[in-house]
């Protein structure tokens, strides 16, 4: 059973030992309805941009997360993209594996649990399709799945819209931080968006396992599309469930933005729980810097009273160190820290 994708176990009756999380990580009773459910909702339409900026800054400072409505991405396209993501994950294991493994460099790939499957002690209950989304799009698209037949067409349109939305949110955050609106796009810091399509099949005992362990994202920001419950955010010692709102996106601050803003904006830990009846699909659009870009606290945001809290390093180095410490945010932050405290 271990050799197959989680989605290939249609009638699994119990959680295999290799998927049972250690007791301190298990969601237990906090799987769904017993959690609080409240993260801020930000309406991105409207004429008063100053108010929108204030609202986003407050939400990201308080929670590291918010849901965006009236964001400008066509609803029909969101529905089509989610439908095609579900169609991909509903294909046979053979088709998913061959359609997701066309890229010899493995930037576009399909895998179960996590990229550390071979070395991790315990797996998580998910299958993943991931691929790059930066320009020139056609060059990456040839490695994207060709089945379902409309995948490239629909997802190609979807990622163009998400890149626009990402730029818009980053511009608003820049203004909130007092940086020029084009700060990220002009520096290459937002030049490397990647899509990750998570699929969490129904699980016989969601209290024992996780779809995704507690982590922070190694991105500038992440834009998540979800239609079923399962995402939880850790705040003030508690797990908060992020209930899907129709046609909203869930936005969160990643570690790269935490570094650049010198801690003015902070990421939040989050995880995904599984569900005993429904399969859940979520699509995370990560805005990453290009590999060779140096990430460090922006000089305009540091001074003698606000010394840089984070070391400077290339994104590539940041990412490999992040991955080796994935589940341990404290160790990640310690690695990044200059030793200065707020
Ligand atoms: O599936 C979700 O809701 C969470 C996805 C996520 O956090 C991630 O892919 O980093
Ligand atoms: Fe995440």
């Amino acid at each position: 059973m271990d050799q197959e994708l989680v989605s290939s176990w249609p009638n699994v009756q119990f959680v295999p030992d290799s998927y049972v999380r250690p007791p301190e990580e298990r969601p237990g009773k906090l799987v769904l309805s017993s959690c609080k459910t409240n993260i801020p909702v930000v309406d991105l339409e409207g004429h008063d941009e100053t108010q929108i900026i204030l609202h986003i800054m407050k939400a990201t400072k308080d929670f590291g997360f918010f849901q965006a409505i009236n964001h400008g991405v066509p609803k029909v396209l969101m529905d089509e993209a989610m439908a095609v993501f579900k169609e991909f994950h509903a294909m046979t294991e053979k088709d998913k594996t061959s359609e997701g493994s066309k890229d010899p460099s493995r930037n576009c790939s399909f895998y179960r649990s996590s990229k550390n499957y071979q070395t991790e002690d315990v797996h998580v209950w998910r299958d993943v399709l991931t691929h790059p989304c930066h320009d020139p799009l056609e060059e990456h698209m040839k490695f994207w799945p060709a089945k379902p037949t409309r995948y490239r067409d629909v997802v190609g349109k979807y990622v163009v819209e998400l890149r626009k939305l990402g730029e818009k949110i980053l511009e608003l955050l820049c203004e909130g931080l007092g940086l020029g609106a084009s700060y990220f796009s002009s520096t290459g810091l937002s030049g490397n968006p990647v899509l990750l399509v998570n699929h969490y099949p129904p699980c016989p005992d969601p209290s024992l396992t996780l779809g995704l362990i507690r982590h922070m994202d190694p991105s500038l920001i992440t834009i998540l599309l979800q239609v079923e419950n399962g995402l939880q955010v850790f705040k003030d010692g508690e797990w908060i469930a992020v209930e899907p709102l129709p046609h909203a996106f869930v936005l969160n601050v990643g570690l790269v933005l935490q570094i650049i803003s010198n801690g003015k904006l902070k990421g939040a830990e989050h995880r995904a729980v599984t569900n005993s009846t429904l399969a859940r699909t979520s699509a995370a659009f990560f805005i990453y810097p290009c590999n060779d870009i140096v990430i460090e606290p922006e000089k305009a945001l540091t001074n003698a009273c606000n010394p840089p809290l984070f070391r400077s390093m290339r994104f590539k180095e940041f990412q490999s160190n992040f991955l080796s410490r994935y589940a341990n945010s404290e160790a990640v932050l310690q690695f990044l820290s200059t030793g200065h405290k707020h």
Side-chain angles (χ1 to χ4, degrees):
M1 177 183 277
D2 233 17
Q3 298 309 311
E4 296 171 350
L5 300 167
V6 200
S7 51
S8 305
W9 312 338
N11 297 311
V12 64
Q13 300 292 318
F14 62 93
V15 176
D17 285 348
S18 55
Y19 285 78
V20 174
R21 304 302 309 177
E24 67 280 7
E25 274 185 30
R26 290 179 202 164
K29 289 201 203 86
L30 284 180
V31 169
L32 280 178
S33 51
S34 48
C35 281
K36 281 194 197 164
T37 56
N38 52 347
I39 66 163
V41 177
V42 177
D43 186 341
L44 292 180
E45 212 171 55
H47 300 292
D48 193 347
E49 198 178 86
T50 315
Q51 282 306 318
I52 298 176
I53 292 171
L54 285 174
H55 200 175
I56 289 191
M57 291 301 282
K58 179 156 170 44
T60 45
K61 280 184 181 155
D62 291 350
F63 286 80
F65 267 82
F66 64 91
Q67 302 216 50
I69 57 168
N70 294 324
H71 40 64
V73 180
K75 291 179 179 172
V76 178
L77 186 57
M78 295 173 78
D79 293 342
E80 276 183 340
M82 182 49 85
V84 92
F85 296 143
K86 285 184 181 289
E87 280 167 36
F88 173 84
H89 281 288
M91 297 193 308
T92 61
E93 172 151 1
K94 188 163 156 279
D95 277 356
K96 283 183 282 195
T97 307
S98 65
E99 291 304 317
S101 317
K102 294 172 194 276
D103 182 357
S105 70
R106 302 232 346 117
N107 287 327
C108 176
S109 61
F110 178 63
Y111 53 89
R112 63 192 182 286
S113 184
S114 86
K115 281 208 162 151
N116 299 332
Y117 185 87
Q118 300 301 337
T119 52
E120 65 196 8
D121 292 336
V122 188
H123 308 306
V124 289
W125 200 266
R126 71 166 180 169
D127 297 336
V128 181
L129 170 70
T130 184
H131 54 71
C133 299
H134 61 82
D135 279 330
L137 211 46
E138 296 70 37
E139 229 159 82
H140 304 291
M141 241 190 219
K142 60 176 186 267
F143 298 128
W144 293 8
K147 257 184 173 180
T149 45
R150 58 191 184 127
Y151 188 95
R152 292 180 188 175
D153 179 38
V154 170
V155 180
K157 290 190 183 118
Y158 178 75
V159 302
V160 166
E161 287 296 323
L162 281 233
R163 291 197 309 214
K164 276 198 257 170
L165 175 60
E167 291 302 328
K168 180 158 136 189
I169 306 270
L170 285 173
E171 278 178 25
L172 294 168
L173 288 169
C174 275
E175 294 198 38
L177 288 168
L179 303 169
S182 64
Y183 176 78
F184 289 113
S185 47
S186 61
T187 50
L189 275 162
S190 60
N192 186 14
V194 170
L195 186 71
L196 202 126
V197 186
N198 297 297
H199 181 71
Y200 313 96
C203 171
D205 188 349
S207 71
L208 294 179
T209 191
L210 286 169
L212 193 49
I213 48 177
R214 174 175 177 163
H215 68 281
M216 294 211 267
D217 289 346
S219 57
L220 273 165
I221 55 170
T222 306
I223 310 179
L224 185 88
L225 176 63
Q226 60 157 6
V227 293
E228 297 94 8
N229 277 293
L231 173 64
Q232 298 183 341
V233 178
F234 198 64
K235 175 169 160 53
D236 302 332
E238 275 187 290
W239 286 104
I240 301 174
V242 181
E243 225 165 272
L245 296 176
H247 298 110
F249 283 106
V250 179
L251 267 293
N252 71 286
V253 171
L255 275 164
V256 176
L257 188 53
Q258 182 162 338
I259 294 171
I260 289 162
S261 71
N262 203 33
K264 288 198 167 53
L265 299 174
K266 287 199 175 80
E269 291 183 296
H270 52 284
R271 68 182 183 185
V273 295
T274 63
N275 184 306
S276 59
T277 50
L278 280 179
R280 172 168 184 263
T281 305
S282 73
F285 186 77
F286 296 96
I287 301 188
Y288 291 132
C290 304
N291 277 338
D292 287 321
I293 298 277
V294 172
I295 52 171
E296 61 189 355
E298 164 51 40
K299 302 219 168 33
L301 301 176
T302 62
N303 55 39
C305 305
N306 291 297
L309 301 177
F310 303 102
R311 297 196 286 131
S312 148
M313 64 189 78
R314 289 193 192 280
F315 180 64
K316 221 176 355 195
E317 183 192 352
F318 162 83
Q319 205 172 28
S320 61
N321 280 284
F322 171 85
L323 281 177
S324 64
R325 296 171 175 80
Y326 184 76
N328 189 340
S329 302
E330 214 172 297
V332 173
L333 289 169
Q334 205 168 2
F335 169 78
L336 297 171
S337 170
T338 51
H340 288 294
K341 295 252 155 22
H342 264 305

